[in-house]
Amino acid sequence: MDAELEFAIHPNTTGKQLYDQVVKTVGLREVWFFGLQYTDSKGYVTWLKYNKKVTQQDVKKENPLQFKFRARFFPEDVSEELIQEITQKLFFMQVKEAILNDENYCPPETAVLLASYAVQAKYGDFNKDIHKPGYLASDRLLPQRVLEQHKLTKEQWEDRIQTWHEEHRSLLREDAMMEYLKIAQDLEMYGVNYFEIKNKKGTELWLGVDALGLNVYEHGDKLSPKIGFPWSEIRNISFSDKKFVIKPIDKKAPDFVFYAPRLRINKRILALCMGNHELYMKRRKPDTIEVQQMKAQAREEKHHKQMERAQLENEKKKREHAEKEKERIEREKDELIERLRQIEEQTQRAQKELEEQTRRALELEQERRRAKEEAERLEKERQAAEEAKAALAQQAADQMKTQEQLAAELAEFTAKIALLEEAKRKKEEDASEWQHKALAAQEDLEKTREELKMAIMSPAAPEHDEEDETDVEASAELLSDGVTSHRSEEERITEAQKNDRVKKQLQVRTTDSDTEWACVSKFGLISAAAQTFVFCTQALSSELAEARDDTKNTQNDVLHAENVRAGRDKYKTLRQIRQGNTKQRIDEFESM
C-alpha cells in the first residue's frame, strides 16, 4: 500500500476527476474521509480542490506533479465507521506514521503495545521457528522519543514487543490493524488539526478541529483542551480576512470570535469545519443505502474470512495432531525396538547361563557315575576280602595253624576290611553329594528355561482554495436537520476502560531480567516463547520507569503524567470542557 501511483492528466482535468481516478485504482469506496494533499509554491501544505482544474491550482511545479493521498477527516469510532479493509489499512498506515513521527503523542507503554499489533499485522502469528531473535531489527516500531528516554537496547525492546506479539496469536492481520486504531483513537492528539489563534485579548492559543467539534488549548499544552464546542452547538461559521466568527445555536450566547495569523489559515479552518460537521451529522442519521450495502458486504467478507480462518486452523490442528501422532508412533517404535534389544540381550544372557548350567550338570553327572563305579569296585574288593577272610578262617581251622599266626592274620584282614568299609562309606557320601548337586543343577536348568520362555513371551508396555488571497470572506451554514442524538460522544470511554483485555495488557508485568516476560490477560498468564515456564513480573509501566531517563522528558511527557495522576483521559476531559452553557464557555474563552 505504501506505493507511488502515476496518472496522466489533461489541462482540463479537475481535482475531482483526478481524485476519482485514484480511489478507483485503489478500490476505495469510503471516499469522504480522504483527499489529495500537496505543497504549494510558497511551501504550505494544502489540499487539492475538486471544483478547480488541477493545472490552475498552486501546485509546486515538478514533473510529475506530486500529491499525497491522505485521510483529511477522521472517524469518531474506527470500529463503527471504517467499513472496507482498504480504508482500515490506509488509516492504520497514516496513524502509525503520525505516532512514530511523534506528531501524535503516545506514552511508552502504549507505544509498545501498539508496536506489537503492528508486528502482528505485518508478520501474522508468532512462530519461533521463523521469527528468530532479531526478526524486528529492520522494523521501525517505536517513536524515537521513547527509545531515547529509556536505557534499553534494541534487543531488550524487541523482547518486550515479541512478548506482546506472542499474545496476539490467532488474531487476523486486519483485526490487528483495527485493534491498533481502536487504541490509537484514544490518544489525545489523534485526528486533531491544530491552528494558532488569538482571542480578542490577544492571548496566543491553539484551536483544535476534529471529528467531535472545536476545542481551545493553551499555547503550551496540546494534550488537554480547556474549552470545547461540539458541532451540534454551531449553526454558522464565517471569516473576514483574519477574523473568524462562529455563531452558536444558542441565540443568547455571543459569537465565538478568534483571529488567525493568515487568511489562508481561516480558509483551511472553514473547509475542515464544514467537512467534519457534515460527517458528524451524517453519523447521527440512518445509514444511506450505499453504506448499508458496504457494511453488509464487509460483514459477508469478514464472515467468509473467519470461515476460511477456522478451516485453516482446523487443518492446522489436524496436521499438528497427525505430526504429534507420528511422533508418538515413532517414539513407541523406538521404545519397542529398545525393548526388543533388551529382551534379545536378556535372551542371550539366559542362553549362556543355560549352556553353562548344562555343562556343569554334565560334569556333575560324570562325577556321580565315577563315584558310583568306585563304590561298586570297593564293594567287590570288600566281598573278596570277606571271602578271603572266610577262606583263611577255614584254612586256619583246616590247617590248625598256631593261634598267634592266625590271630595276626585275622587282625590284619580285619583292619583292612575296616579301611575298605570307611573308604566305601566316603565314596557313597561323595556319590550322594554329587547326586544332590546334579539334582540342584537340573532344577536351576529348569528355572532358567522357564525364565527364558517368560522373557520371550512377555508383551511390550503401551504408550476547500487557500492561495487565493483576494477572496477574503466566506461563510457556511451548519445544518443539523433530522438529527436527534447530538452528543453521544460524551458517553464514550477509552478502549482500555471498556476492553478488559487491553486494560490488563497495559498492566503487563516483567521481572528484573531482560528476557523473562509474561503477559496477563483475560486468558490468564501467557507463557514465554518456548511456553515451558511462566514468569511473575512487575507492571510494565513500572519497569519502563526504572529504565527511564527523566532528564529527557518532553513537555508532552510531563503533561501526560499529570493527566494520569489526576485520573483524566480524552473523554473525561471532553465532558469536562463542555460543561456549562455556550455563553459561559465563550466568556471563558474571552478571558483566557
Side-chain angles (χ1 to χ4, degrees):
M1 286 303 300
D2 190 6
E4 289 188 359
L5 299 175
E6 194 166 314
F7 299 91
I9 62 171
H10 302 286
N12 293 327
T13 300
T14 64
K16 179 69 164 61
Q17 290 170 333
L18 177 58
Y19 183 71
D20 289 343
Q21 272 189 280
V22 175
V23 297
K24 183 178 181 180
T25 301
V26 299
L28 179 71
R29 296 178 66 187
E30 296 169 88
V31 298
W32 45 85
F33 289 117
F34 300 89
L36 292 175
Q37 195 180 74
Y38 66 91
T39 302
D40 65 18
S41 60
K42 296 179 182 179
Y44 294 113
V45 174
T46 188
W47 296 91
L48 185 70
K49 283 155 282 295
Y50 297 154
N51 58 345
K52 290 185 67 175
K53 297 176 183 178
V54 175
T55 55
Q56 291 179 354
Q57 301 188 46
D58 190 22
V59 184
K60 188 177 180 181
K61 301 311 177 195
E62 297 177 300
N63 189 16
L65 299 178
Q66 300 292 319
F67 297 93
K68 290 182 180 180
F69 188 79
R70 290 288 185 271
R72 189 177 186 181
F73 305 104
F74 286 76
E76 289 181 31
D77 188 337
V78 292
S79 61
E80 293 292 329
E81 296 180 53
L82 302 186
I83 305 169
Q84 287 184 287
E85 187 179 325
I86 179 65
T87 313
Q88 296 167 8
K89 191 167 187 178
L90 288 168
F91 268 96
F92 165 74
M93 292 170 62
Q94 185 166 331
V95 171
K96 180 163 72 77
E97 182 182 13
I99 290 173
L100 294 178
N101 292 339
D102 227 11
E103 295 168 13
N104 286 354
Y105 174 80
C106 181
E109 56 271 23
T110 305
V112 173
L113 180 56
L114 290 177
S116 68
Y117 280 116
V119 171
Q120 180 73 14
K122 180 177 180 179
Y123 294 101
D125 287 349
F126 177 82
N127 186 325
K128 63 182 180 181
D129 296 328
I130 299 173
H131 304 126
K132 303 292 184 181
Y135 75 106
L136 301 178
S138 61
D139 292 309
R140 183 175 172 232
L141 299 170
L142 296 169
Q144 189 63 30
R145 164 183 54 83
V146 173
L147 297 174
E148 292 175 352
Q149 287 174 340
H150 297 83
K151 300 172 184 177
L152 295 172
T153 65
K154 286 185 178 180
E155 292 76 16
Q156 290 169 331
W157 281 117
E158 181 176 315
D159 287 340
R160 284 145 182 79
I161 296 171
Q162 178 185 317
T163 298
W164 296 119
H165 184 196
E166 294 177 42
E167 167 71 0
H168 306 323
R169 180 169 295 278
S170 299
L171 190 66
L172 295 174
R173 296 174 190 254
E174 55 268 30
D175 290 339
M177 289 189 285
M178 180 55 70
E179 290 297 321
Y180 186 104
L181 290 172
K182 284 162 68 176
I183 297 169
Q185 73 181 354
D186 292 336
L187 298 175
E188 292 88 341
M189 299 177 71
Y190 165 86
V192 181
N193 286 275
Y194 294 90
F195 301 93
E196 287 186 285
I197 63 169
K198 292 181 182 181
N199 58 11
K200 292 176 181 178
K201 290 171 62 177
T203 306
E204 292 184 349
L205 302 166
W206 288 106
L207 176 72
V209 184
D210 65 11
L212 302 175
L214 300 175
N215 297 322
V216 179
Y217 302 77
E218 292 179 341
H219 202 258
D221 183 0
K222 283 187 175 181
L223 294 185
S224 305
K226 304 305 176 187
I227 307 170
F229 301 92
W231 293 118
S232 57
E233 287 186 350
I234 302 171
R235 64 181 174 88
N236 178 275
I237 53 174
S238 63
F239 68 85
S240 176
D241 198 11
K242 297 179 183 179
K243 180 181 177 180
F244 202 102
V245 180
I246 297 174
K247 296 183 181 294
I249 288 178
D250 183 359
K251 296 185 179 180
K252 293 180 182 180
D255 291 345
F256 174 33
V257 179
F258 59 83
Y259 299 86
R262 291 183 301 277
L263 172 63
R264 67 168 53 244
I265 298 300
N266 278 341
K267 291 183 176 182
R268 289 189 62 186
I269 294 173
L270 182 70
L272 276 172
C273 288
M274 291 172 63
N276 275 302
H277 177 270
E278 181 183 357
L279 290 175
Y280 182 87
M281 293 305 171
K282 181 180 178 181
R283 296 181 192 108
R284 285 150 181 80
K285 294 178 182 180
D287 290 335
T288 62
I289 297 297
E290 181 188 12
V291 171
Q292 291 178 30
Q293 290 174 343
M294 288 167 60
K295 286 184 176 180
Q297 182 181 350
R299 283 194 297 269
E300 185 178 344
E301 289 175 354
K302 187 170 184 178
H303 177 70
H304 182 66
K305 286 184 178 181
Q306 287 174 340
M307 293 290 289
E308 287 182 343
R309 178 72 179 227
Q311 185 177 358
L312 184 63
E313 287 295 322
N314 188 39
E315 292 297 326
K316 186 178 178 181
K317 287 179 181 179
K318 285 182 179 179
R319 185 173 67 251
E320 289 176 351
H321 177 72
E323 289 175 353
K324 288 180 180 178
E325 188 67 18
K326 180 181 178 181
E327 289 176 0
R328 184 186 65 79
I329 292 172
E330 288 293 330
R331 187 170 59 253
E332 289 181 355
K333 175 185 175 182
D334 293 341
E335 289 173 355
L336 287 171
I337 291 173
E338 179 62 19
R339 178 68 177 164
L340 180 60
R341 187 188 61 79
Q342 292 175 356
I343 291 173
E344 288 177 349
E345 289 179 354
Q346 290 176 357
T347 302
Q348 290 174 358
R349 285 197 299 271
Q351 187 68 34
K352 289 180 181 178
E353 290 177 1
L354 179 63
E355 291 173 356
E356 180 63 20
Q357 289 177 0
T358 301
R359 184 186 62 76
R360 288 178 60 196
L362 290 173
E363 289 178 353
L364 290 173
E365 180 64 21
Q366 289 174 358
E367 288 293 329
R368 186 187 68 78
R369 289 176 181 174
R370 283 197 294 270
K372 183 177 180 181
E373 290 174 355
E374 186 65 17
E376 289 175 352
R377 184 184 64 77
L378 291 174
E379 178 62 22
K380 289 179 181 179
E381 289 182 356
R382 186 187 69 75
Q383 289 176 357
E386 285 289 341
E387 290 174 357
K389 178 182 176 183
L392 287 173
Q394 185 65 35
Q395 186 178 3
D398 293 345
Q399 295 179 359
M400 299 296 292
K401 289 184 177 178
T402 60
Q403 189 65 30
E404 292 152 355
Q405 185 178 1
L406 289 172
E409 291 177 356
L410 182 58
E412 182 182 353
F413 281 109
T414 300
K416 188 174 181 181
I417 289 169
L419 291 173
L420 290 171
E421 288 179 347
E422 180 65 21
K424 177 185 175 184
R425 184 184 62 79
K426 289 181 178 181
K427 291 298 182 180
E428 288 175 348
E429 290 177 354
D430 290 343
S432 178
E433 182 179 352
W434 284 108
Q435 190 170 3
H436 285 309
K437 288 182 179 181
L439 291 173
Q442 188 66 26
E443 290 175 359
D444 290 342
L445 180 60
E446 292 298 326
K447 287 181 180 180
T448 302
R449 286 173 175 167
E450 194 66 28
E451 289 175 357
L452 178 61
K453 182 178 180 182
M454 292 295 289
I456 294 172
M457 296 176 63
S458 61
E463 324 264 352
H464 167 314
D465 193 357
E466 302 159 11
E467 60 269 11
D468 185 0
E469 300 291 342
T470 60
D471 186 10
V472 296
E473 292 185 3
S475 68
E477 290 292 332
L478 303 184
L479 304 177
S480 57
D481 299 337
V483 177
T484 55
S485 176
H486 283 307
R487 297 166 65 168
S488 57
E489 69 273 11
E490 294 177 17
E491 301 172 3
R492 285 179 64 177
I493 58 175
T494 64
E495 193 69 19
Q497 287 175 304
K498 68 184 177 183
N499 189 320
D500 187 58
R501 178 171 180 263
V502 173
K503 187 175 180 180
K504 289 184 178 181
Q505 284 182 333
L506 288 175
Q507 296 170 349
V508 65
R509 298 187 288 177
T510 177
T511 62
D512 292 335
S513 165
D514 292 329
T515 56
E516 298 179 354
W517 284 77
C519 303
V520 182
S521 75
K522 68 182 180 182
F523 304 108
L525 286 173
I526 306 302
S527 63
Q531 298 185 356
T532 55
F533 52 87
V534 176
F535 303 98
C536 294
T537 55
Q538 300 175 344
L540 173 59
S541 55
S542 298
E543 191 273 339
L544 290 179
E546 293 176 4
R548 191 180 182 100
D549 184 354
D550 291 332
T551 62
K552 295 185 179 180
N553 280 353
T554 65
Q555 178 66 14
N556 281 339
D557 290 314
V558 176
L559 292 169
H560 173 75
E562 198 173 301
N563 285 340
V564 171
R565 280 193 297 270
R568 292 191 293 263
D569 61 42
K570 182 176 182 176
Y571 302 110
K572 289 179 182 178
T573 301
L574 183 69
R575 289 188 285 272
Q576 181 181 354
I577 64 174
R578 291 183 176 183
Q579 289 177 355
N581 59 37
T582 309
K583 181 181 183 302
Q584 289 173 328
R585 280 178 272 135
I586 293 175
D587 289 343
E588 186 180 348
F589 166 73
E590 296 297 347
S591 66
M592 291 180 72

